[in-house]
Amino acid sequence: MPGRGALCLGLLLPVLLGCVSAQQPGGCPDLCECSEPARTVKCVNRNLTAVPLDLPPYVRSLFITGNPLTHLPAGAFSAQRLPDLSALNLSGNHLQAVEAGALALPALRQLDLSGNALVSLSPRAFGEGGSPLEELALRGALRDHGVLFNLAALLQSGALRNLSRLDLADNGLLVLPAGMFTALPALRQLDLSNNSLVGLQNVSFQGLGQLQSLNLSNNSLAVLWNSTLAQFRSLPTLQHIDLDHNTWVCDCPIEDLVAWLKESDQVEGKEALTCAYPDKMLGKALLKINSLDLNCSVPIDLPSQLQTSYVFLGIVLALIGAIFLLVLYLNRKGIKKWMHNIRDACRDHMEGYHYRYEINADPRLTNLSSNSDV
């Protein structure tokens, strides 16, 4: 019947259209929220354990946060399907491992891995070639000691030469691997705040010709040595250094730091920097310290002082030895006569002992020996 056929077609049409739209590449994953006009996809607190496979190809900004996601395998994000993905936020998940090729996206500019518990980060996580990545946030994601060296290997490989901003705050870092930043010529902002850094002796800032901002606040720095200060002076664009809330030890070695602070305009809020040790200097502003305030009676460079002392001692001993040999040479005749006299005395003494031994050994001479003794 024509009326009934039309009714059935009307009921089936929405279902068919729904199926077609679900199969189109612009569809949205079930557990995510998508906005095609804003080219944004948000999968926040959705209990995801893997990256959705049906992400729409129009996405530029992708948020996958607050999920029990622990692993990013190779090809987790399809470079062919997501050619325009430029901002990727994976913060606040439970990520532990990022494998080689997991982040090989051709348009990726911003990546946030903060608030994860990374244990393994492949040096080839961004693929075999270079990455266009410009901003990398790892705040609170490097609590495991080994992953820091994974990151250093990644940075030193040159894969992130376009990186302009690097956030390593809140990671409890004590020291940094040597040469960690040497392959980042485009770096402009480096945040190392809220760690436990005790020194920067093995950190090289050479090659960071574009560095503008360096945040070292809330660490455990006691002093900055002249070698580090010289690197700061050599960076023409470095105009913002934050040294607030460190445990400055105000004794003799801090003189170079104080002199640099007084002449440099690179440090923000340098007037607020104060001494933490010793007790007599507690709270004193670094800019108000002078040489009379510091206890410099103990040599600063003890190894150098000891080396100098050893050299001086060696010279003195060599001089004494030379004088002794000279005295022996000048008195060689007297010494020879003295040696002959000692030899004769020893020989007479030994002959006496030999004579007494012969008498004691011969019974016939025993009585004679006794009478002679009497």
Side-chain angles (χ1 to χ4, degrees), residues 222-234:
V223 66
L224 293 181
W225 297 100
N226 208 22
S227 58
T228 301
L229 301 177
Q231 293 188 63
F232 291 163
R233 293 189 187 97
S234 68

Side-chain angles (χ1 to χ4, degrees), residues 198 201 220-229 233 243 245-263 270 272-278 280-301:
V198 295
Q201 292 91 323
S220 300
L221 297 173
V223 66
L224 293 181
W225 297 100
N226 208 22
S227 58
T228 301
L229 301 177
R233 293 189 187 97
L243 297 174
H245 295 98
N246 278 280
T247 55
W248 304 113
V249 178
C250 295
D251 54 12
C252 213
I254 208 169
E255 281 187 311
D256 291 335
L257 173 59
V258 171
W260 174 70
L261 287 174
K262 291 179 179 180
E263 70 179 23
K270 59 184 179 180
L273 301 181
T274 58
C275 302
Y277 302 99
K280 66 176 184 178
M281 300 288 285
L282 181 62
K284 186 176 182 65
L286 266 61
L287 289 178
K288 295 183 179 180
I289 293 177
N290 55 58
S291 57
L292 297 178
D293 296 324
L294 303 175
N295 181 17
C296 297
S297 58
V298 179
I300 300 175
D301 192 357

